[in-house]
Amino acid sequence: MIFLNYYAILKISRNASKEEIKRAFRALALKLHPDVNKDPGSHENFIALNEAYLILYDDEAREKYNKEYDNYFKKTFDAEHQRFKDLHSEDDTDSRE
């Protein structure tokens, strides 16, 4: 599963208020709306923007998103850290031979 960073999509900090979320969404919606923005992918970008707004503006959904996002990246970080440690332990074994 891939998690989108809704804070990055809205260009806001993680501790943004509801008012900041709404203001950021409205400003970006005016720029990214497919009727205005004819760039390829503008429709998909606008869908992601709407999704980010809906999740982050709702307190319960935002709390759940934050927990799942943190958990996802903790697992990813832990897996990368273990892989790094395994690589170095192999290097240590090779250097002793």
Side-chain angles (χ1 to χ4, degrees), residues 4-13 28 52 56 65 69:
L4 296 176
N5 186 337
Y6 293 148
Y7 296 101
I9 290 171
L10 287 168
K11 300 179 181 181
I12 58 174
S13 71
L28 289 168
L56 297 182
Y65 168 79
Y69 192 81

Side-chain angles (χ1 to χ4, degrees), residues 87-97:
L87 272 171
H88 284 293
S89 67
E90 289 172 10
D91 289 345
D92 292 341
T93 304
D94 291 343
S95 65
R96 286 185 228 145
E97 294 175 0

